[in-house]
Each structure stands twice: as structure tokens, then as C-alpha cells.
Amino acid sequence: MGRAKPIMIQGTMSNAGKSLLAAGLCRVLSQDGLRVAPFKSQNMALNSGVTADGLEMGRAQIMQAEACSIAPDVRMNPILLKPESGHRSQLIVAGKEQGAFAARDYFARKKALMPQILEAFDSLAEENDVIVIEGAGSPAEINLAENDIVNMGLARAVSSPVLLAGDIDPGGVFAQLYGTVALLAPEDRALLRGLVVNKFRGDVEILRPGLAPLEKMCGAPVVGVVPYLTLDLDDEDSLAPRLSAREARGVIDVAVVRLPHLSNFTDFDPLSRVPGVGVRYVSSTTDLGRPDLVVLPGSKTTLDDARWLAASGIGACVRALSGAGTPVLGICGGYQLLGDELSDPHGREGAGTARGLGLIPASTVFREEKRLAQSELRITGAQGAFSVWNGMTARGYEIHDGETIVSCAPAGTIGGKPEGAACGNVFGTYLHGLFDEPGVALALARSLARMRGLPESVVGAAGAASAADHRACEFDRLADSVRGALDMEYVYRIIEEGV
């Protein structure tokens, strides 16, 4: 078995589309019969997941692994940073938490992590034909270049050719690409093998006159112009467009509270795919209105978000809606927020206590050890609108420090042990991925319709498909677009030639 050859996708800025371009390239190469694995040395995101062996990694690389039709492996994302505030992040190395660090402290130590990054990369390279590497942010952050471990610093270390993607959608793509190349050091410019114009709308012939001058100025060919695609795949961070959606687009209105430390918001993507259901994210009492379902999502810093719920007035509004019969769902941090009190004796989130919403008789204490597991929730105790779930099994994962003690009926069981809480029209669980199983989202949507006195037919049956089947279709759409837009003959050549 030979060593895998790398190719790297970098971007002119965050949200340039690196994650999806890398996923698309993973899918294309896999379709062509190659053994492919994704890799991102350092990921900063609150959307994370758990591998089968109980290790934590970024969801973007989990999504890319799925595009390759392989199981996610923590080697694909050896460093994960989960922001806790504007200046502090939890550091996860090789899937295990190492504590929280201020930005200055992390920058001082991150170069020392390079051996672990290269160990993970080399191990993957021994098992695959191609490694598709995703960069982070921009390689032109010249203040960070000396200690770079995720863009050109990594490309040099693993001798990877680089494709640089620019986002044309907001405008200024020529300046983005040329400015980025101009700021690169000569040794880094030598690794650049091509430019990609991403998220293009309209007639490419209008764009074409600018491509030749751009190639001349940058000293690299334009490998392709990738059209703007609306894809229903995991978003990586807070720049996700869906988080700005405030208007419900369906008969059934679902309001997800956009907590300041919102995490794992991809939990609700399958619910948004049910025809007739509109999922929107709200951060004010005005936006909240009178939805058919209120959702409290995961949170990285639950105590702070509990205080925000009280200060913003949203907590009082949620309590009033619940008292009037509106169903309320809480997942992970959102489940903790449903209870009476949250306590942090070990300083996991800064120490102290906070009051919850008091919608279930429960209290949460944050422990020193984080629970990481892929889990199955057998739902047996759901009540009210959620009672349609009884007898169903939801498969997902758990990531939480808190231990919640409840004095009402559990929602169900995980591994034979009571899990979650069910109290009338309130349902809480630690299980991320609750809606991924076929039929879970559709059953709830139909239950909400009946509560409104509407026929079940107002919501469609598309939500009965599994999340995995849906994503497979989206990956194939993405691959078709990437294959059609990029000069794949050239891409294969630079992969084979290397640097």
C-alpha cells in the first residue's frame, strides 16, 4: 500500500466554501474508485460530533468522511477548538479535552502540537490513496504566518499542492484572490497550483474576460468556476445562513432559540426538511412570537446562556408559552436549561450557579469529566405532543459535562438506564441527532398539526427519509457540480505530481 498523495483547499476568508469544496472533491475522488480521507489539522467550531470510539471531532470532517463513504476518525481533525468566549477556547487534541486556554496562551503552544498533527496525517496517509486537506480562514493572515499549522505551514510540512478558493457572492473575488496571493511568502506561492472562483451566479461568459488577467497576476491558472449551490449539509460555524432565517416558511412554525453560545444547531436540519415545517432561529422576544414548537438547542456555556435567557426576557416568554400549552423541546444544554438550577462546582464553565426555566423538576451539576458516546435513546415516557415518539429509537451521540437529576418521568432509556425528562408538553434529552432517524421529525410535525386542528396532510412525507440517505443525495449533487466545474484532469495531474 503506497502513501497517500495530498491536495489542499484553502480559502481567501472564512465562509469561502472550503468545507463543501473539500467534501465535493472527496466525493468525486471516491466515486472514481480511490481511497480518500479528509483532513483538517485545526478546526474552530461549536458543531462537533463523537466517533464510534468515543472521541470528539468537528462535524465538518465528519461530514467529509461521510462524503468519502467512510467512518469518521479523529485523526481527520486532530485539533478542535471550541470557543467559550471572545478570548478563550476549549482545546481538544486527538479527540480528548485538554482544558480551556486564552487565545494568547494557545498561540504560544500551538506550534508544539505539530508533531501530533503530522502523526495523525501520516497514519491516514498509510491507509489511503488521497488526502483532501481543508485549510482554515485565510492563509494571508501575515500576523499568524510564523506559527501557522493549518494553512501554508501545514502544506509545506506535508508537501501538498494548494488550490485557493475565493467567494464571488459578496463581490470582490478578484481582489480576494490577488490580494491573498500577493501576501504569500515566495515559498508558499510556489505551492499554489490553482485558483477557484466559488459560489458564482449568472453567466460565466461575463466573468471570463477577467480570468486571464487574474491568472497572469497570480501566476496560477483558474481551475474552475463553481456555481452557487443551495445544499442541505452540515454547516460548520455561526456564519451559516440558516441561523439568520427568521421567517418560518411552513404551516408548522418551529422557533429555535439562538443562544449566545449555541452549539450543534445541525440537530434540527432534518426537521426543517419536512415539507410544511418552517424552522427559524430567534434571539429576541419580538422574533419569538407564538410558534407551534419552541426548541432550546445545545450550548457550549450553559450557565451564561441561562443568565441571558433571563436578562433578554426570552426565558419568561418561553415559560408563558409553555404554560399556555406550546410544546417545548430541549437538547443537551437546552435540556439543562429546562430545569430549576444549574451548578458548576468545578469551574467547568466559570463556576457559580444559575436558574433554569423551571419547566421540568430537575437540577444539573457540571462534573469534571465530559461524557462522549454514540448512543441510542429508546423513547418510552414522552407525553403530550411528543407522545407520538413512544416506541421509537433515536440514534445519535452525547457530548456533555452536566449530570441532570430529574424527579419526573424519564423520556426513555439509553443502555437500559433512564434518560431525559418528559413532563406534559416538555421534553428534554442529552441525545444529539434526535431527528436523524426516519420518521421522528415527521411524526412530531404531524402531532403539532393535530394540536392546531389541522389535517396531517399539511406536512409532507419527505421527512420520513433517513438523514443519511438525504445527505447521500446531497453529496452526489455536490460532486456533480464540482466535477462539472473543475478541470478534473488538471486536478488529478497536480495530485500525482505533488510539489
Side-chain angles (χ1 to χ4, degrees):
M1 183 181 296
R3 179 180 169 84
K5 296 179 180 295
I7 183 169
M8 189 172 197
I9 308 293
Q10 295 185 17
T12 55
M13 58 185 177
S14 292
N15 207 37
K18 298 182 292 292
S19 294
L20 285 181
L21 283 175
L25 197 54
C26 281
R27 191 68 162 190
V28 168
L29 298 173
S30 297
Q31 288 175 339
D32 290 349
L34 297 172
R35 295 166 301 179
V36 187
F39 187 82
K40 185 168 186 175
S41 58
Q42 173 191 285
N43 196 348
M44 177 176 279
L46 288 178
N47 267 355
S48 62
V50 180
T51 63
D53 50 354
L55 299 172
E56 188 174 2
M57 62 183 287
R59 285 199 64 85
Q61 281 61 63
I62 291 175
M63 178 266 290
Q64 290 163 357
E66 194 171 6
C68 298
S69 300
I70 59 177
D73 187 311
V74 76
R75 291 176 296 171
M76 300 168 184
N77 176 211
I79 299 175
L80 175 63
L81 295 170
K82 302 182 75 171
E84 295 184 346
S85 68
H87 304 285
R88 183 180 176 88
S89 295
Q90 185 182 83
L91 172 63
I92 295 165
V93 178
K96 297 181 179 180
E97 182 189 342
Q98 306 297 309
F101 295 86
R104 184 184 297 272
D105 295 334
Y106 174 69
F107 288 142
R109 66 177 287 169
K110 70 174 185 176
K111 196 80 178 278
L113 296 170
M114 190 60 125
Q116 289 169 277
I117 290 171
L118 295 179
E119 181 181 359
F121 180 88
D122 290 341
S123 179
L124 281 176
E126 293 301 318
E127 301 171 6
N128 292 279
D129 299 315
V130 180
I131 305 292
V132 177
I133 310 171
E134 179 189 343
S138 163
E141 307 293 351
I142 55 178
N143 57 315
L144 305 176
E146 183 179 356
N147 293 315
D148 174 46
I149 61 173
V150 67
N151 286 310
M152 285 300 185
L154 178 65
R156 290 195 304 272
V158 300
S159 300
S160 177
V162 174
L163 296 180
L164 178 66
D167 179 3
I168 196 173
D169 194 48
V173 74
F174 294 107
Q176 288 176 38
L177 290 165
Y178 174 70
T180 299
V181 174
L183 286 170
L184 294 177
E187 60 269 26
D188 293 335
R189 232 175 278 145
L191 300 176
L192 183 64
R193 290 293 186 270
L195 310 172
V196 178
V197 176
N198 199 25
K199 305 184 190 179
F200 181 74
R201 309 175 195 244
D203 186 350
V204 72
E205 294 305 318
I206 298 174
L207 180 69
R208 205 171 298 283
L211 299 183
L214 180 68
E215 292 177 334
K216 184 176 181 180
M217 287 186 288
C218 293
V222 174
V223 181
V225 178
V226 180
Y228 190 100
L229 289 177
T230 301
L231 290 165
D232 192 6
L233 292 169
D234 284 359
D235 292 306
E236 185 170 35
D237 54 31
S238 59
L239 296 175
R242 72 191 68 198
L243 296 184
S244 300
R246 295 184 177 180
E247 296 298 325
R249 296 180 297 277
V251 178
I252 302 303
D253 177 21
V254 177
V256 180
V257 179
R258 186 174 179 177
L259 301 168
H261 302 94
L262 169 71
S263 69
N264 293 81
F265 56 85
T266 49
D267 281 342
F268 314 108
D269 292 353
L271 187 58
S272 69
R273 290 196 289 268
V274 178
V277 175
V279 176
R280 57 195 176 91
Y281 291 80
V282 302
S283 54
S284 71
T285 55
T286 303
D287 291 338
L288 183 58
R290 297 189 62 83
D292 297 300
L293 172 68
V294 175
V295 177
L296 293 170
S299 167
K300 180 64 187 72
T301 313
T302 319
L303 268 73
D304 283 349
D305 284 346
R307 297 174 186 123
W308 175 83
L309 283 173
S312 66
I314 291 181
C317 288
V318 173
R319 280 195 298 270
L321 287 168
S322 179
T326 300
V328 179
L329 169 67
I331 294 180
C332 198
Y335 166 38
Q336 296 168 349
L337 291 168
L338 295 175
D340 298 313
E341 184 179 73
L342 301 94
S343 175
D344 185 15
H346 304 289
R348 297 287 293 172
E349 297 191 359
T353 61
R355 299 296 300 173
L357 297 181
L359 297 183
I360 57 174
S363 61
T364 296
V365 177
F366 290 89
R367 305 300 186 189
E368 292 186 282
E369 293 295 322
K370 180 188 292 189
R371 175 166 168 77
L372 298 170
Q374 291 186 355
S375 302
E376 291 187 359
L377 170 63
R378 183 170 179 268
I379 304 173
T380 56
Q383 303 171 23
F386 304 103
S387 61
V388 293
W389 285 346
N390 286 327
M392 291 186 173
T393 298
R395 295 167 180 84
Y397 58 96
E398 298 175 71
I399 304 177
H400 57 92
D401 302 321
E403 179 182 349
T404 300
I405 306 299
V406 301
S407 54
C408 65
T413 58
I414 287 180
K417 298 180 180 179
E419 150 61 18
C423 188
N425 266 330
V426 180
F427 185 99
T429 178
Y430 274 116
L431 189 79
H432 292 290
L434 176 67
F435 292 109
D436 282 0
E437 286 300 306
V440 174
L442 180 61
L444 180 59
R446 287 176 170 171
S447 177
L448 295 173
R450 288 194 298 271
M451 284 187 64
R452 286 261 307 275
L454 300 171
E456 291 184 357
S457 59
V458 300
V459 295
S466 74
D469 288 344
H470 173 82
R471 288 193 296 268
C473 293
E474 295 293 272
F475 287 133
D476 288 342
R477 284 183 58 212
L478 175 60
D480 288 346
S481 178
V482 168
R483 192 186 293 275
L486 298 188
D487 181 348
M488 286 306 301
E489 183 178 345
Y490 178 78
V491 171
Y492 268 110
R493 187 163 75 248
I494 64 172
I495 290 174
E496 184 59 35
E497 292 175 353
V499 297

